[in-house]
């Protein structure tokens, strides 16, 4: 995977952390974890986080099938441009700190069902329930996750898209782990200010994806397709830099 995509995935996840505190933080706080038994607290918290990140990775792998199909058909650059445009459109609908995903009727209904299931699981204080909570948490309708999944399409393959979403999940990890440990430690006013910045960052990221797909020959930002030639080998994919200029 290109360095630019790796940085984008982690950076998007980190920026999404502020959003996650508001959307998923209440669920994390509802788990009732206490710091009395520190080892047990950390393990249960990590189990919950692992379940959430695993869901992101699986979803990324599923969408990677589409991305790989476009790459094999020779349409990867067009998909990358489309992904960039979609990110910009979703970012525009996210201004004001509102999550555009919750505005979609069938998504809202799905959100209600997942929350009801989570309510039952949260009553069981064991590792299995923590892991299940993380898995379901990762399925909650979330505009930032949808943006990340859209961006993962441009990664070019199944494992690349899965890795993109795994890195996105890692980016959200610091805030989500901390909110369980410290409670809702970020004030609402501060979070609202940060949420206003996120759509701007998404528009910039979308613009970078458009430039990447246009293959203008700009190093690292919009390289020619020859410099991103992917060879198939017995040990997986590797980037061939022999044609780089």
């Amino acid at each position: 995977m290109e360095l630019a995509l790796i940085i984008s995935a982690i950076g998007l996840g980190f920026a999404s952390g502020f959003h996650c505190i508001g959307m998923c933080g209440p669920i994390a706080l509802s788990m009732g974890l206490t710091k009395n038994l520190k080892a047990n607290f950390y393990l249960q918290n990590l189990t919950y986080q692992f379940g959430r990140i695993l869901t992101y990775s699986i979803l990324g792998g599923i969408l990677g099938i589409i991305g790989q199909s476009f790459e094999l058909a020779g349409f990867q650059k067009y998909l990358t441009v489309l992904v960039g445009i979609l990110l910009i459109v979703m970012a525009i609908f996210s201004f004001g700190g509102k999550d555009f995903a919750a505005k979609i009727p069938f998504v809202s209904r799905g959100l209600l069902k997942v929350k009801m299931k989570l309510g039952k699981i949260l009553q069981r204080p064991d590792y299995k329930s923590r892991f299940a909570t993380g898995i379901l948490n990762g399925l909650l309708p979330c505009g930032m996750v949808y943006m990340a999944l859209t961006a993962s399409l441009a990664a070019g393959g199944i494992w690349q898209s899965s890795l993109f979403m795994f890195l996105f999940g890692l980016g959200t990890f610091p805030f989500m782990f901390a909110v369980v440990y410290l409670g809702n430690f970020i004030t609402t006013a501060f979070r609202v200010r940060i949420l206003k910045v996120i759509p701007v960052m998404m528009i910039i990221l979308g613009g970078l994806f458009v430039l990447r797909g246009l293959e203008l020959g700009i190093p690292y930002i919009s390289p020619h397709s020859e410099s991103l030639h992917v060879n198939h080998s017995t040990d997986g994919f590797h980037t061939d830099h022999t044609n780089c200029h």
Side-chain angles (χ1 to χ4, degrees):
M1 181 183 289
E2 299 167 52
L3 179 61
L5 285 178
I6 294 174
I7 295 175
S8 296
I10 298 176
L12 177 58
F14 189 78
S16 300
F18 293 97
H19 180 270
C20 291
I21 289 175
M23 289 293 292
C24 306
I27 295 173
L29 293 172
S30 297
M31 290 192 297
L33 293 179
T34 63
K35 290 173 281 189
N36 295 333
L37 299 174
K38 287 190 176 181
N40 185 57
F41 168 84
Y42 288 127
L43 286 175
Q44 290 207 25
N45 194 354
L46 286 172
T47 301
Y48 160 69
Q49 304 297 342
F50 175 72
R52 188 172 56 83
I53 295 174
L54 179 61
T55 296
Y56 295 157
S57 302
I58 294 174
L59 292 175
I62 293 172
L63 285 184
I65 297 174
I66 301 174
Q68 190 171 59
S69 299
F70 272 83
E71 181 174 8
L72 293 175
F75 299 132
Q76 180 63 30
K77 64 179 181 180
Y78 302 110
L79 177 62
T80 303
V81 172
L82 178 61
V83 164
I85 294 173
L86 287 175
L87 287 174
I88 293 172
V89 171
M90 287 189 287
I92 291 173
F93 280 99
S94 298
F95 274 105
K98 297 180 180 179
D99 194 298
F100 71 87
K103 301 175 184 177
I104 306 173
F106 74 89
V107 170
S108 297
R109 290 194 294 270
L111 176 61
L112 179 60
K113 291 180 180 179
V114 173
K115 283 185 174 180
M116 290 175 64
K117 185 67 175 178
L118 277 173
K120 296 178 181 178
I121 295 176
L122 286 171
Q123 298 174 8
R124 301 194 298 269
D126 54 78
Y127 288 100
K128 183 179 179 180
S129 68
R130 300 303 179 221
F131 182 70
T133 299
I135 291 290
L136 288 174
N137 196 164
L139 294 173
L140 285 175
C142 173
M144 297 306 298
V145 174
Y146 290 169
M147 287 186 185
L149 286 170
T150 302
S152 73
L153 280 170
I158 298 173
W159 75 265
Q160 292 98 326
S161 295
S162 182
L163 177 60
F164 185 96
M165 290 305 298
F166 175 77
L167 293 173
F168 167 80
L170 284 184
T172 66
F173 177 83
F175 288 103
M176 289 302 296
F177 187 90
V179 75
V180 178
Y181 185 76
L182 300 174
N184 204 344
F185 59 98
I186 295 180
T187 64
T188 301
F190 179 74
R191 194 172 68 85
V192 168
R193 286 196 293 269
I194 294 297
L195 290 178
K196 290 180 180 179
V197 178
I198 291 179
V200 177
M201 295 176 60
M202 292 308 305
I203 290 174
I204 294 173
L205 180 60
L208 290 175
F209 270 90
V210 171
L211 288 174
R212 178 174 178 264
L214 292 176
E215 300 177 358
L216 300 176
I218 305 173
Y220 302 107
I221 297 177
S222 184
H224 287 303
S225 59
E226 290 83 0
S227 64
L228 295 176
H229 178 67
V230 177
N231 289 321
H232 296 271
S233 62
T234 55
D235 58 347
F237 295 108
H238 69 278
T239 303
D240 181 4
H241 295 283
T242 57
N243 292 323
C244 293
H245 298 285

